Amino acid sequence: MSAAAAAPDEGKILSRVAAPEEAQFERQLRPRSFEEYVGQEQAVASLRVSVEAAKLRRECVDHVLLYGPPGLGKTTLAGIIANEMGTSLVPTSGPAIERGAELMGILTNLAEHDVLFIDEVHRLPRPVEELLYPAMEDFAVNFVIDKGMHARTLKYALRPFTLVAATTRPGMLSAPLRERFGIFHHLDFYSDAELTRIVTRSAAILESPLEPAGARELARRSRGTPRIVNRLLRRVRDYALVKGEGTVTEDIAHRALDSEGVDARGLDRLDRRFLDAIIDRYKGGPVGLEAVAATINDDAETLSEMVEPYLLKIGFVVRTPKGRCATREAYQHLGKQPPARAPGQQGLFG
């Protein structure tokens, strides 16, 4: 498998963009209980207590807001809360609910103690968001019927439910919506050891032979993200079947991921284009995100949500008041010569 064949469109990176047929694959690998969940120990411990307390009181769990980069387990945790409570998970997303009537249909069909999961909650239209306020606080919604002097409000009671909302951009949530959540948890990137446990479990479910060294190689290149390690496992097990003897060894994983364009630090083609633009076109920065996006012909929001968080996490990029700057580690990783120390850049280049 050549690198060209693996990436017919450089804007679509296999390690991060799921094909439609992979949705069932991801669901198959998701943990179904807190016991099976790996990582995010503080969030899981807190949610476990909240769920147990709610069960003892025979109430629904308080509303939960989960935020952090994509692929870290927000949807999975929503499903686990529903499973642990013995209720149903009703999933939707902010962009999918365009009108208040659509939200009303969802809310009125929830059973008692069901878990409503809204992904990308920061993209809810404002009129829809305002309908959520009384639903979250009082388990009721208010209709305004008639108009003018004859207008009156009709209150419709809902069954008690738990709203679990997920967002990659918590700063875009309005204060009134944010304050109605009782539980907040930030999900951070996973360690290599945690990802090794996750991919080992996934390989066992898929009945795919995986050596410990192969699991560690997959974990190192997965950007600290469980969704990515599972997708890379799918690519590598195919490579092992065709180019090897079916077992994912360290050498097979190394060769397969190199052919996919995923390097030893988990950077893919989009990451390297991003860093190359900062280093080669803007002399290491500072440069604004919009300028970088225009240079590499990509979307600034995509770079902000899918590229920057990991590069910031591993110290390849820093944000300054004037824009983004590449660090010495980024230059070294790409095999480029860092510039001489310049005023105001002591923390970046030495």
Side-chain angles (χ1 to χ4, degrees):
M1 182 187 300
S2 67
D9 178 357
E10 285 194 345
K12 295 181 179 180
I13 306 301
L14 281 174
S15 64
R16 281 184 276 178
V17 179
E21 65 272 10
E22 291 193 331
Q24 178 61 39
F25 170 79
E26 290 185 1
R27 285 195 296 270
Q28 180 184 1
L29 301 180
R30 279 180 181 157
R32 299 180 182 277
S33 68
F34 289 126
E35 292 293 337
E36 295 178 359
Y37 195 93
V38 176
Q40 312 295 346
E41 284 87 357
Q42 184 175 0
V44 168
S46 176
L47 287 172
R48 190 195 294 262
V49 170
S50 298
V51 167
E52 289 300 322
K55 288 164 69 175
L56 290 172
R57 290 194 301 263
R58 298 183 180 178
E59 298 175 355
C60 54
V61 181
D62 205 352
H63 303 303
V64 181
L65 177 63
L66 303 172
Y67 59 99
L72 298 185
K74 296 183 287 292
T75 305
T76 299
L77 280 173
I80 289 175
I81 292 171
N83 289 339
E84 296 280 355
M85 289 294 295
T87 60
S88 298
L89 177 71
V90 180
T92 185
S93 67
I97 308 175
E98 297 179 349
R99 295 181 296 275
E102 296 170 350
L103 178 63
M104 282 299 305
I106 295 172
L107 292 175
T108 54
N109 282 291
L110 291 174
E112 190 169 356
H113 296 174
D114 273 357
V115 175
L116 172 61
F117 175 66
I118 303 181
D119 200 8
E120 297 183 89
V121 69
H122 62 275
R123 295 177 62 183
L124 277 175
R126 181 54 61 90
V128 175
E129 178 184 311
E130 290 173 353
L131 270 179
L132 268 178
Y133 298 163
M136 295 173 69
E137 281 193 326
D138 305 323
F139 300 119
V141 287
N142 300 318
F143 293 100
V144 177
I145 57 178
D146 292 335
K147 294 182 179 179
M149 294 180 59
H150 302 289
R152 53 199 176 93
T153 300
L154 179 65
K155 189 173 185 178
Y156 182 89
L158 301 171
R159 301 176 186 90
F161 70 96
T162 296
L163 172 62
V164 179
T167 178
T168 56
R169 309 185 74 175
M172 292 184 66
L173 290 180
S174 67
L177 179 60
R178 188 168 55 246
E179 290 167 0
R180 283 170 168 81
F181 288 96
I183 301 172
F184 302 81
H185 288 297
H186 173 252
L187 304 191
D188 204 351
F189 291 105
Y190 287 63
S191 68
D192 287 352
E194 290 169 340
L195 290 171
T196 299
R197 291 169 57 195
I198 290 170
V199 76
T200 300
R201 173 185 176 274
S202 298
I205 292 172
L206 298 172
E207 299 181 352
S208 177
L210 173 65
E211 292 186 354
R216 290 191 293 271
E217 183 69 13
L218 279 165
R220 277 194 295 268
R221 301 197 189 201
S222 296
R223 306 172 61 86
T225 307
R227 180 181 296 166
I228 293 176
V229 80
N230 285 331
R231 290 186 190 161
L232 292 183
L233 172 63
R234 186 174 184 178
R235 301 282 77 81
V236 172
R237 70 171 185 160
D238 291 346
Y239 188 95
L241 192 62
V242 174
K243 301 288 188 178
E245 298 179 355
T247 299
V248 177
T249 63
E250 182 177 15
D251 179 62
I252 286 288
H254 182 87
R255 287 189 284 139
L257 296 175
D258 281 349
S259 72
E260 295 284 355
V262 180
D263 68 22
R265 293 299 298 273
L267 273 60
D268 55 30
R269 296 177 182 86
L270 182 56
D271 298 311
R272 291 191 290 272
R273 286 169 56 207
F274 181 85
L275 291 173
D276 284 339
I278 295 176
I279 291 171
D280 297 333
R281 295 291 296 275
Y282 298 100
K283 304 185 185 303
V287 57
L289 188 62
E290 294 285 348
V292 178
T295 300
I296 65 176
N297 193 29
D298 217 309
D299 178 62
E301 185 174 350
T302 300
L303 299 180
S304 175
E305 292 190 7
M306 297 179 62
V307 175
E308 257 201 335
Y310 182 67
L311 295 180
L312 288 166
K313 175 74 174 179
I314 63 175
F316 280 12
V317 171
V318 294
R319 288 176 178 166
T320 72
K322 294 183 178 180
R324 278 69 174 173
C325 295
T327 64
R328 176 178 293 275
E329 288 78 8
Y331 278 86
Q332 293 172 342
H333 180 74
L334 296 176
K336 300 177 185 289
Q337 180 63 37
R341 178 183 297 181
Q345 294 182 321
Q346 289 87 345
L348 304 183
F349 301 112

